[in-house]
Amino acid sequence: SAAKVLLTDEGTLGTARVFEGDISVLTVESLRSSSSENPEVRNDSRSLAYVIYTSGSTGTPKGVMVEHRSFMNFFAHYSIQNPVSTLTCEYVFDVSVSEIFCTLLSGGKLVVPQKDIIFDANAYAGHLYKHKITHAYLHPMLLQEIGSALSLYDEVYLDRLLIGVEPISGSTIAWFCQQGIKIINGYGPSEATICSTMYEVDNNLDEGLGKLPVGRPLSNSGVYLLDGADCLVPVGISGDLYISGAGLARGYLNNPALTAEKFIPHPFKPGERLYKTGDLARWLPDGNLEFLGRIDHQLKIRGYRIEAGEIEQALLQNPAIQSCVVVGHAFEQGKELVAYLVASTNASLPDTAELRRFLSTNLPDYMIPAYFVELETLPLTSSGKVDRKALPAPDEKNVSSGMQYTAPRNTVEQTLADIWEQVLGRENIGIHDNFFHLGGHSLRAIRLVSLIQQRLSVEIKLSEVFALPTIEALAKRVAQLSGLHQMVLQGIPRIAAAEDYALSNAQRRLWVLGKMEENLRAYNMPAVIRLRGVLQVEALEQAFDVLFNRHET
C-alpha cells in the first residue's frame, strides 16, 4: 500500500511511500512543480491507515494494522459536523485516533491542552469552558470530579461525551445527563478499530442504575458470544466475545502466526473473519451487550490495558527474583496491580523502593505494581500452573512501603495522614511514605487535592503532590500556604539510647574508602579558630561533651 503526503520545504513537493510488509521503509522523491492540481491519490479502502501497538498475550507488544475502510466505518457512525473537540488521550491510545481524525475530517476544530491540565479536574473543566468544547472523551474515573468542577460555570458547552474502558454506573454520569449532554458508552479493542459497540445513554437515566451496558454493534459490524464449542449462547448467559465486520484490523504487523490465532475463520459466514477478543460478555433482554471482564490475565486498570506478562518479564530481569506473578487485586478504593515474588536461592529481594526504580527503567508508571508481596513459593495447581486464586490477599503484614514507619508529629501531618488513609485505603501511613509507592496515581491525587482543600482550607496544586509526595514535605507546603509554621517546625525527637547505632550512608562510604587507603585525609576538614580573652578549658570540654552526648554519631 502507498501513502502520499505533502512536504512544504521551499516549494518542494515530497512523496512518501509506505511499502507492503515493512512500514519502516520510507522514500522521499523531490518534485518541483508549479501545478495547482491535487496530487494523485493511490490509496483505496484496503490500504493501511495506521499501526498502533498494544500488549500481546506473551508480554511482547504487537502492532495492529488498521486499514482505511475500518476507520471510515467507525467515522461514518460517529462523525458529526463542525465539532470543537479536545485531545484527552495520548496518541498511543486508539481513542486518540477518533479525537483527532473524526474532528478534522468533520471540518471541526481540535484543541490540544497541556498534559498536566488533563489530570487536574478544575483546570480541565476550565479548559472545556474556555475553548467552548462541544465534544470530548472522558475517562470514567474523572467523570464525577470534572462534573463537579463544571457545575461552577455559568454555561456548559459540551454536547456529546464519549466514555468507556471501565465499568460505569448511573450515579457517575448523573450530572451530565441532567445537562442534556449526549453520552455514548463505547466498547472495542484496537483490533476492531476504536469502538465495536456503542450505547447511547438516556438522559432520564436512573441514578441508581448499576453498570451501564456497552450497547449494540456498529453498522457493518457483528458481535458473537460463543461457548467452548463455538456455539451461540442464549440471552443472559456469559460467553466468549468475538467481533466481525468492516471494523476488523488487517492483522498484526510481521506476525502471521498471531494473526491466524486471533483472527479466525467465521463459523457462520464463509469467507469472513472473527476476532477473538479474550473478553466475556452477555446479551441483555433489550438487545444490548453487557461487558463482564477479561477471560485471560490481561488487565484493565485506570483505563490502561495491561498485560501482566510484560510486567513479569521485566521483574524476572532482576537476578534476585526467581519467579513472580502479577495480578489485579480489587481493593476498596479500586483495582491495583500486585506482584508476588519468590527470591532466588541465596538471595534477598530488593526493598520496595528499589523494585520500583528497577521497573521504571523499562515500564511506564501505570504498569508498576502498587504492592509487592514476598512468598516462599508460588501456589500451583495440579497441572503445574500458578494457582492465582490461592495467592494471599495483600495486607499490611506482607506489603512494605519501603520506608520505616514514622508517626505524624503534629496536627497538620495527622490530618494529611487521615486523608491519605481514606484515599489509598491503607492504615498506618508514615510521614516519610511516598504517596505513589502506596498505590497512589494521578486520579487519586486529584481526590487528594480536593480533600486537602476541604479539611485544611488550603489549595494545593496537583503538580505539588507529584513534587512533594510525602506527608512531611506536603505538610511544610501546607504550613507555607496557611501560616502554620509553628505547627510543623518542631524539634527533632531524640532517639532512644543504644550501645550501637547504624552508620549513615555517608559514614559507610567513608569506612569503605578508609579500608581501601590507610591514613586517608581527603575528608578531613581542618580549621583554625582564634579565641580572644581567657579560655575556660573546662567550659569548652563541657560544651563538647554535651554535643557528643546529644549526637552519638
Side-chain angles (χ1 to χ4, degrees):
S1 58
K4 267 193 175 181
V5 295
L6 293 176
L7 305 177
T8 57
D9 180 14
E10 298 181 354
T12 299
L13 179 69
T15 304
R17 288 197 177 91
V18 183
F19 292 96
E20 185 74 34
D22 189 356
I23 65 163
S24 65
V25 178
L26 296 175
T27 63
V28 177
E29 301 172 359
S30 295
L31 304 172
R32 292 192 176 274
S33 172
S34 59
S35 173
S36 60
E37 297 181 2
N38 287 330
E40 176 189 357
V41 178
R42 301 179 185 177
N43 291 324
D44 59 31
S45 64
R46 302 308 296 261
S47 298
L48 202 62
Y50 62 88
V51 173
I52 195 163
Y53 277 79
T54 182
S55 292
S57 58
T58 61
T60 304
K62 52 190 179 181
V64 180
M65 299 185 291
V66 178
E67 298 174 341
H68 282 273
R69 69 173 193 141
S70 299
F71 173 76
M72 292 307 297
N73 188 70
F74 171 81
F75 174 73
H77 191 94
Y78 187 68
S79 65
I80 44 120
Q81 291 300 312
N82 302 316
V84 180
S85 304
T86 186
L87 185 63
T88 302
C89 302
E90 294 194 25
Y91 64 89
V92 293
F93 184 24
D94 65 347
V95 174
S96 67
V97 177
S98 165
E99 294 179 314
I100 296 170
F101 292 104
C102 285
T103 300
L104 301 182
L105 292 175
S106 301
K109 179 172 70 173
L110 180 66
V111 183
V112 182
Q114 294 291 331
K115 187 175 181 179
D116 55 350
I117 290 179
I118 296 173
F119 296 104
D120 187 327
N122 293 322
Y124 190 75
H127 167 76
L128 296 177
Y129 177 81
K130 175 183 177 181
H131 296 285
K132 299 182 179 180
I133 303 298
T134 61
H135 297 77
Y137 167 83
L138 290 182
H139 190 282
M141 295 187 71
L142 290 175
L143 283 171
Q144 286 184 317
E145 298 284 350
I146 292 177
S148 298
L150 278 175
S151 65
L152 302 177
Y153 290 92
D154 56 359
E155 188 171 357
V156 178
Y157 298 99
L158 275 177
D159 180 62
R160 184 170 67 170
L161 199 59
L162 178 64
I163 57 178
V165 179
E166 297 282 357
I168 303 167
S169 65
S171 59
T172 304
I173 58 173
W175 182 84
F176 295 93
C177 290
Q178 294 168 4
Q179 311 307 310
I181 299 172
K182 183 179 181 181
I183 300 176
I184 297 174
N185 187 27
Y187 161 81
S190 301
E191 290 85 347
T193 313
I194 308 171
C195 283
S196 302
T197 69
M198 287 186 178
Y199 177 76
E200 186 173 339
V201 180
D202 188 345
N203 286 133
N204 297 319
L205 181 71
D206 180 8
E207 291 187 31
L209 180 68
K211 185 169 58 176
L212 292 177
V214 294
R216 307 183 184 206
L218 274 60
S219 301
N220 304 315
S221 297
V223 169
Y224 297 83
L225 300 185
L226 307 179
D227 60 16
D230 290 341
C231 295
L232 296 172
V233 300
V235 173
I237 303 299
S238 65
D240 297 354
L241 198 160
Y242 292 78
I243 300 172
S244 69
L248 291 192
R250 181 187 297 177
Y252 298 113
L253 179 65
N254 297 330
N255 199 336
L258 187 60
T259 299
E261 177 187 343
K262 295 293 186 179
F263 294 85
I264 64 174
H266 202 305
F268 312 120
K269 297 181 179 180
E272 296 190 18
R273 299 180 303 158
L274 282 183
Y275 170 67
K276 187 189 305 183
T277 67
D279 290 331
L280 285 173
R282 66 177 179 179
W283 290 112
L284 299 176
D286 62 1
N288 284 301
L289 194 69
E290 182 182 29
F291 176 75
L292 299 177
R294 293 293 300 165
I295 298 172
D296 53 21
H297 303 307
Q298 195 176 66
L299 306 169
K300 281 190 177 180
I301 295 183
R302 300 190 295 278
Y304 290 100
R305 184 176 174 182
I306 297 171
E307 173 54 43
E310 191 172 354
I311 305 173
E312 292 165 1
Q313 281 191 348
L315 283 168
L316 291 174
Q317 299 304 309
N318 191 313
I321 299 174
Q322 173 182 303
S323 58
C324 65
V325 61
V326 176
V327 301
H329 185 82
F331 293 88
E332 183 177 353
Q333 301 294 323
K335 182 180 286 188
E336 294 289 353
L337 289 172
V338 179
Y340 294 87
L341 312 173
V342 176
S344 299
T345 305
N346 300 324
S348 58
L349 290 177
D351 61 27
T352 301
E354 177 58 32
L355 284 169
R356 289 194 173 92
R357 284 193 294 269
F358 177 79
L359 290 176
S360 65
T361 60
N362 294 308
L363 297 176
D365 288 342
Y366 67 85
M367 292 185 70
I368 297 178
Y371 300 91
F372 296 88
V373 181
E374 183 175 1
L375 300 176
E376 292 186 4
T377 59
L378 294 175
L380 303 177
T381 64
S382 58
S383 60
K385 297 181 179 179
V386 176
D387 188 356
R388 295 170 181 261
K389 295 181 180 179
L391 291 169
D395 56 37
E396 294 297 328
K397 294 181 180 179
N398 56 15
V399 176
S400 170
S401 67
M403 297 297 296
Q404 185 176 358
Y405 174 74
T406 303
R409 301 165 296 185
N410 51 66
T411 305
V412 174
E413 290 181 349
Q414 184 60 60
T415 302
L416 288 173
D418 293 340
I419 294 173
W420 280 35
E421 290 179 4
Q422 179 179 344
V423 173
L424 298 173
R426 296 194 57 171
E427 297 179 355
N428 299 323
I429 297 177
I431 62 172
H432 301 306
D433 288 331
N434 188 302
F435 178 78
F436 301 99
H437 293 175
L438 297 177
H441 47 74
S442 55
L443 301 180
R444 286 182 174 175
I446 295 173
R447 179 63 174 159
L448 181 70
V449 168
S450 177
L451 290 174
I452 290 175
Q453 185 173 4
Q454 292 176 20
R455 299 188 188 179
L456 293 174
S457 300
V458 170
E459 187 171 348
I460 294 288
K461 296 180 180 178
L462 184 65
S463 59
E464 291 177 319
V465 176
F466 286 87
L468 307 169
T470 67
I471 290 176
E472 180 183 42
L474 207 55
K476 292 179 180 179
R477 179 55 179 158
V478 169
Q480 293 173 356
L481 296 174
S482 61
L484 299 178
H485 295 274
Q486 68 279 7
M487 297 178 64
V488 176
L489 304 180
Q490 297 181 352
I492 300 175
R494 182 165 184 161
I495 194 171
E499 292 186 6
D500 299 300
Y501 299 90
L503 295 179
S504 68
N505 290 331
Q507 291 170 331
R508 206 175 282 125
R509 181 171 63 250
L510 291 177
W511 182 86
V512 172
L513 292 174
K515 290 295 184 181
M516 295 173 62
E517 182 179 347
E518 292 187 5
N519 302 319
L520 178 66
R521 297 181 180 181
Y523 287 89
N524 288 354
M525 300 172 65
V528 177
I529 300 175
R530 182 182 297 277
L531 299 178
R532 299 185 184 279
V534 180
L535 174 62
Q536 296 184 19
V537 178
E538 292 183 0
L540 183 60
E541 288 179 346
Q542 290 176 9
F544 279 124
D545 288 341
V546 171
L547 180 65
F548 296 152
N549 289 332
R550 180 63 182 83
H551 299 285
E552 287 84 354
T553 57

